Amino acid sequence: MRVEVEHLPQSQVQLQIEIDPEMLSGAVNKAYQKLAGRYRVPGFRPGKAPRAVLERAIGPETLLSEATDICMNDAYAQAIKDYDLQPLGYPDVDSPKTDEVDPEKPLSFTAKVYVRPQAQLGDYHSLRVTPQIPEVTTEDVDRVLIRAQEQQAPWEPVEDRPAEAGDVATLRLLATVGDETLVDQESWEYKLSAEETPGLPIPGLSDLIIGLQAGETKDAVLDLGEDYTPAEHAGKQMTIHLEVLRLERKTTQELDDAFAQTFGNYDTLEELRAALKQSMETQGRNQAMDAYYEDVVRQVVALSTVEAPPPLVDQELDDMMHRLQENVEHERKISMDSYLRVVGKTLDELREEGRPAAEQRVRADLVLEAVARAEGVEVPEEQVEEQVRLVASTPTLSNKERRRLLTSEDLRKRIERRLRKGFTITRLVELTTPPVEGAAADAEPASATAEAASSAGEDSAAAASPADETAPAEPETPSIPHNEEEN
């Protein structure tokens, strides 16, 4: 057997394979054994008809066709093994027709297949990356306290004045475009704003309500812009009928010791400030370290050369769309169809928006695989086993499902890949962090760093749009730590 390998773009290879007549002859014997059990020949038990009898019954071309398939499959598998290729899916085969095959001559065919590429690593050992830990200032603490003050303020009915920005109006609302009803709510709470966010379903709704008092109604016709979404309504008119059922406003509480005591076992506002600052410093450090891990990986990937094969990109896109759907349905509590109508896009359009992010993730994973091989990163078996048991201990699982997970090789491999990724990022952090005097005393255990590294950025995986996954994640809003008194 002769094999010529040609490397094509996007990590695809073309195998030109020539099979010797002797190999084809051996495949004919295999084909006979296979077909003898498939076809019934009168006068013989299944699988017992002599080859010559079977060949007369089914025709020599059927036997040769089966032998050709067996021979090409065996030759392809051998070539993949000999050249250490990792196929991504089934090959696209160009082979001669059965009537063109001569058992006395070599059989040639071509197979194209995407393969898992090997990343060419750059000099990542020379990289030096330093985490940027933010400083928490008094102004930062004050902003969180003021936001908490606004959130804690109770809502009270507004009866002595018209609606103002900052109020919450409870509305009976009907909005239509032509014959289509876009909004039909009997009791809809809406917070009024002096400057509304663009892209809302009813543009300028706050302006329509501000100035009205509880019990008043209003009718209006809005001209929808050419950039309105969904696009099918762009340039049309929206008819609005609304009634203000109720108005409410917040009564702000003073920032004093009494305010601090609403958060638990704090006697003074200064105690609350100190606890809040410590919490913000911890949260800021965690977010900074997540960004640091991602930056280290990003720079190592930038130094490396690797292609993102379409099958891996499509698989990553499938995962991204699944995470998006889970986020929409479980967190936002709306159906995927409703979400698509709100954003004015199709599922295919969202996939295409997410393609650059998917390609970036695939390249990062391939580079990390190469780093793991280069650095000899190993995953302790006991850690894999511990994670498998943790997954299988989920309370909602049935005993049958729990037993299946405990013996699942697929689950074990996925956990091993995730842990290896974490350990690899930990190794890169060790290599790229400039040494700091006295830092060893404060260093985190390797296992803790690996766990943080493997999950860095994954909390924001289900972004509002797949395309948003390439953008920096929004920082989490700091929250005031509740200090409950121990019993």
Side-chain angles (χ1 to χ4, degrees):
M1 184 177 78
R2 289 195 314 109
V3 180
E4 293 181 6
V5 181
E6 180 183 358
H7 291 272
L8 305 175
Q10 296 186 307
S11 193
Q12 194 176 33
V13 297
Q14 176 174 284
L15 304 174
Q16 182 67 43
I17 302 176
E18 183 180 276
I19 302 171
D20 299 331
E22 293 79 13
M23 188 173 179
L24 182 57
S25 177
V28 170
N29 292 328
K30 291 182 181 179
Y32 161 67
Q33 296 293 336
K34 187 175 181 179
L35 294 175
R38 184 187 306 172
Y39 289 94
R40 297 184 65 87
V41 179
F44 296 92
R45 287 179 297 167
K48 298 300 182 180
R51 174 175 163 178
V53 174
L54 177 67
E55 190 170 344
R56 284 196 302 271
I58 64 175
E61 65 281 353
T62 301
L63 184 63
L64 184 58
S65 175
E66 186 69 29
T68 301
D69 288 344
I70 292 173
C71 196
M72 289 194 300
N73 285 333
D74 290 348
Y76 171 76
Q78 187 63 46
I80 290 296
K81 180 179 179 181
D82 291 346
Y83 287 88
D84 195 23
L85 302 174
Q86 299 180 52
L88 301 172
Y90 294 104
D92 180 13
V93 178
D94 183 12
S95 60
K97 297 179 181 178
T98 303
D99 58 7
E100 298 173 344
V101 175
D102 185 347
E104 304 299 324
K105 295 181 180 180
L107 169 64
S108 297
F109 70 97
T110 301
K112 285 183 183 179
V113 66
Y114 289 103
V115 296
R116 195 173 192 87
Q118 300 288 330
Q120 302 300 312
L121 298 175
D123 183 17
Y124 60 89
H125 285 85
S126 65
L127 276 178
R128 292 296 178 266
V129 187
T130 304
Q132 303 299 316
I133 309 298
E135 178 186 358
V136 177
T137 65
T138 301
E139 290 75 17
D140 295 330
V141 175
D142 286 342
R143 278 193 292 270
V144 175
L145 285 173
I146 291 171
R147 186 163 54 245
Q149 181 189 31
E150 294 172 350
Q151 292 171 348
Q152 291 281 98
W155 289 99
E156 295 183 349
V158 175
E159 298 173 346
D160 57 348
R161 62 165 174 78
E164 297 177 354
D167 292 347
V168 168
T170 302
L171 309 172
R172 180 177 291 121
L173 179 64
L174 178 66
T176 59
V177 175
D179 296 331
E180 183 176 352
T181 299
L182 298 187
V183 179
D184 186 0
Q185 295 285 338
E186 286 296 316
S187 181
W188 189 28
E189 291 188 350
Y190 190 79
K191 186 171 183 179
L192 307 182
S193 174
E195 297 181 2
E196 288 188 319
T197 305
L200 294 176
I202 304 178
L205 180 57
S206 287
D207 292 338
L208 295 177
I209 302 169
I210 290 174
L212 297 179
Q213 291 190 324
E216 292 187 325
T217 63
K218 190 169 190 176
D219 293 290
V221 176
L222 304 179
D223 293 321
L224 303 179
E226 296 297 333
D227 58 347
Y228 182 82
T229 55
E232 66 218 51
H233 300 315
K236 298 181 180 180
Q237 289 187 323
M238 177 184 290
T239 302
I240 305 290
H241 173 76
L242 64 86
E243 179 182 355
V244 180
L245 302 177
R246 184 171 63 253
L247 290 173
E248 293 177 299
R249 64 182 173 189
K250 280 194 170 185
T251 303
T252 306
Q253 184 179 357
E254 290 294 326
L255 280 177
D256 54 17
D257 293 347
F259 173 78
Q261 290 162 12
T262 64
F263 290 93
N265 191 29
Y266 296 106
D267 292 328
T268 66
L269 182 61
E270 288 309 308
E271 287 183 12
L272 177 61
R273 283 182 180 276
L276 175 57
K277 183 177 181 181
Q278 183 179 15
S279 175
M280 291 173 66
E281 287 173 343
T282 300
Q283 182 176 321
R285 183 182 186 280
N286 291 340
Q287 291 178 350
M289 293 306 294
D290 284 348
Y292 170 55
Y293 298 142
E294 292 172 359
D295 189 35
V296 169
V297 173
R298 191 180 302 113
Q299 293 197 43
V300 173
V301 172
L303 287 174
S304 306
T305 302
V306 66
E307 292 183 301
L312 291 183
V313 175
D314 288 338
Q315 181 180 334
E316 180 62 35
L317 276 171
D318 289 341
D319 291 342
M320 289 168 62
M321 299 308 296
H322 177 69
R323 291 193 295 268
L324 172 63
Q325 183 169 349
E326 283 193 334
N327 174 264
V328 166
E329 294 179 350
H330 298 154
E331 300 297 328
R332 303 188 180 208
K333 306 298 183 184
I334 61 174
S335 69
M336 193 64 181
D337 288 341
S338 298
Y339 174 78
L340 292 173
R341 284 196 297 271
V342 170
V343 299
K345 295 174 183 176
T346 66
L347 204 56
D348 288 341
E349 287 172 338
L350 284 183
R351 281 183 67 91
E352 285 310 304
E353 283 185 5
R355 189 168 294 277
E359 291 174 350
Q360 181 180 343
R361 290 184 177 194
V362 167
R363 282 193 291 269
D365 285 345
L366 292 169
V367 168
L368 289 174
E369 287 177 7
V371 173
R373 288 191 297 270
E375 297 295 326
V377 175
E378 298 291 340
V379 179
E381 178 61 29
E382 58 270 19
Q383 290 200 23
V384 177
E385 188 63 33
E386 179 184 351
Q387 291 295 312
V388 169
R389 289 197 301 270
L390 184 63
V391 173
S393 65
T394 304
T396 56
L397 294 176
S398 65
N399 289 333
K400 181 179 180 181
E401 184 67 12
R402 188 173 288 111
R403 287 193 297 270
R404 186 190 69 80
L405 289 174
L406 287 171
T407 58
S408 170
E409 282 303 313
D410 180 63
L411 174 62
R412 194 172 297 273
K413 288 178 181 178
R414 284 191 285 117
I415 289 174
E416 186 175 359
R417 282 197 300 269
R418 180 175 63 81
L419 291 176
R420 181 175 288 107
K421 180 179 179 179
F423 282 119
T424 303
I425 296 175
T426 299
R427 177 58 180 154
L428 286 174
V429 168
E430 293 170 351
L431 291 171
T432 59
T433 303
V436 178
E437 185 176 352
D442 298 327
E444 292 184 81
S447 59
T449 309
E451 182 63 27
S454 65
S455 61
E458 292 186 6
D459 290 340
S460 58
S465 167
D468 293 340
E469 298 195 5
T470 56
E474 284 290 327
E476 292 181 17
T477 301
S479 58
I480 295 181
H482 284 258
N483 186 11
E484 301 297 340
E485 188 171 4
E486 295 182 3
N487 293 326

